[in-house]
Amino acid sequence: MNITVIGTGYVGLVTGVSLSEIGHHVTCIDIDAHKIDEMRKGISPIFEPGLEELMRKNTADGRLNFETSYENGLAQADIIFIAVGTPQKSDGHANLEHITDAAKRIARHVKRDTIVVTKSTVPVGTNDLIDGLITEHLAEPVSISVASNPEFLREGSAIYDTFHGDRIVIGTADQKTAKTLEELFRPFQIPIYQTDVRSAEMIKYASNAFLATKISFINEISNICEKVGADIEAVAYGMGQDKRIGSQFLKAGIGYGGSCFPKDTNALVQIAGNVEHDFELLKSVIKVNNNQQAMLVDKALNRLGGVMGKTIALLGLSFKPNTDDMREAPSIVIADRLAALDAHIIAYDPIAASHAKHVLPQAVEYKETIEEAVKGSDAVMILTDWANIKQFPLAAYQNLMKTPLIFDGRNCYTLDEAAEAGVEYYSVGRKAVVPSGAIQ
Ligand SMILES: NC(=O)c1ccc[n+]([C@@H]2O[C@H](COP(=O)([O-])OP(=O)(O)OC[C@H]3O[C@@H](n4cnc5c(N)ncnc54)[C@H](O)[C@@H]3O)[C@@H](O)[C@H]2O)c1
């Protein structure tokens, strides 16, 4: 089939590349001419394991190309995917301006009967809005069927998830559209669930809200563990063995970030509010997360009395490992707070540093290696559990720091390892490890 994907971000580019990999002819459209230029040269605008290789391979095989022109990009399309961003507005609602812009441009340039599939995460009712906009602005007398197909990939393993997802959700009342989309997705060999459009839209928000709830829940339990002398790692393991609970998303840390959970939880609170439902549970989840993001700084302040003039090394800046995405990363909250307290901030990230420079305070100093970042610092904060950060030997902190003081927001080490290395170690939901002789 001939597929056109509109928007080449984490979702659109991964979708386009994956559909070309299973044999379809795919054109990816973006309004960002620089991105399109880069992709034409074989350079992926985002870091995502395996993506650039597959992108190059399918471009070379003639199944994948990139366009800024809707006219060229839509000429042959049997199916059009909308994968543009739906960022958060200041009042928490999803900003739909990219969606409405894409819908109007589709209407002006579509030349044949086509299925338009919304992959972007959009509030319930948005597919009806898209349908209405396209119908209103159509330039040719063609028939358009609009369907919802929410995306569940995780950044950092997006290609893997596309080929190994748990389910593909298709929201449409039109059986012919459903059949065509099932045929399109069949090679992925992932269970397909067809439902109505509004339920499909809601499945995405409900799924993200539920996962965010799990994270805030385990973070709250971790805060209680610290006070009652329990160990969150043991507690989470014991809970996770219960199949009704499941072991995933029970990792205590410094809160969720990224381009989805923060905006989607806020958007769902607004969606509920618009129908006069006060989503109290989700509001608490968001509040708990905001507190959790600041928790490491509180611990440092407790331990050090203040951080003015102290050198603090931040290890890991992206919101999670294996991505360069800095959107809503806890490192932003932490660096802002440390900067406001006049700390001297050194930062290291294996991939995301160039993006971080645009969102972290100006005064942050960047280093190329963990060693350079840690050397001579007064305290280290581990913010993202990239493999090389997790595997960095604790003994090296001993050699590189005046007094090795570590605040680990990702529980990268066991308490035994910390005690053995003789470092002073504060993690999440566990006892502090304080070597004898350390000043407290
Ligand atoms: N990032 C994720 O992990 C993820 C996962 C599931 C769902 N989603 C959802 O998918 C959607 C896209 O997310 P993303 O992270 O890929 O966004 P992104 O910001 O990385 O990319 C969006 C792209 O769309 C382009 N764009 C904007 N308006 C356009 C237009 N009118 N025509 C063509 N291109 C246009 C932008 O230039 C940009 O390249 C969002 O609704 C998001 O909530 C994201």
Side-chain angles (χ1 to χ4, degrees), residues 6-12 29-32 35 70 83-86 98 101-102 105 120-121 151 153 155 204 259-260 263 327:
I6 298 178
T8 59
Y10 290 84
V11 168
I29 299 180
D30 205 291
I31 47 170
D32 184 332
K35 270 192 183 179
Y70 272 67
V84 297
T86 49
H98 298 307
D101 180 50
R105 289 181 194 232
S120 302
T121 303
E151 179 56 62
L153 62 76
E155 286 179 21
K204 176 63 193 173
S259 68
C260 291
K263 83 171 171 66
R327 288 178 283 187

Side-chain angles (χ1 to χ4, degrees), residues 93-159:
H93 281 93
N95 180 346
L96 297 179
E97 67 184 21
H98 298 307
I99 294 279
T100 54
D101 180 50
K104 287 183 203 163
R105 289 181 194 232
I106 291 171
R108 283 199 292 271
H109 296 289
V110 70
K111 295 276 181 301
R112 50 207 282 194
D113 291 356
T114 311
I115 299 173
V116 174
V117 184
T118 310
K119 260 207 178 291
S120 302
T121 303
V122 291
V124 179
T126 305
N127 276 281
D128 291 343
L129 173 87
I130 293 171
D131 201 352
L133 278 173
I134 295 179
T135 309
E136 188 187 330
H137 292 90
L138 266 184
E140 304 280 344
V142 296
S143 155
I144 303 293
S145 172
V146 175
S148 164
N149 168 229
E151 179 56 62
F152 300 101
L153 62 76
R154 297 164 298 175
E155 286 179 21
S157 53
I159 292 285

Side-chain angles (χ1 to χ4, degrees), residues 7 31 35 48 65 78 87 90 154 161 180 222 249 272 373 410 416:
I31 47 170
K35 270 192 183 179
E48 191 57 51
N65 64 82
D78 300 309
S90 54
R154 297 164 298 175
D161 290 349
T180 307
S222 80
F249 282 75
R410 301 296 180 182
D416 286 345

Side-chain angles (χ1 to χ4, degrees), residues 8 29-39 67-68:
T8 59
I29 299 180
D30 205 291
I31 47 170
D32 184 332
H34 175 69
K35 270 192 183 179
I36 294 293
D37 272 353
E38 294 286 284
M39 291 183 287
E67 267 295 342
T68 49

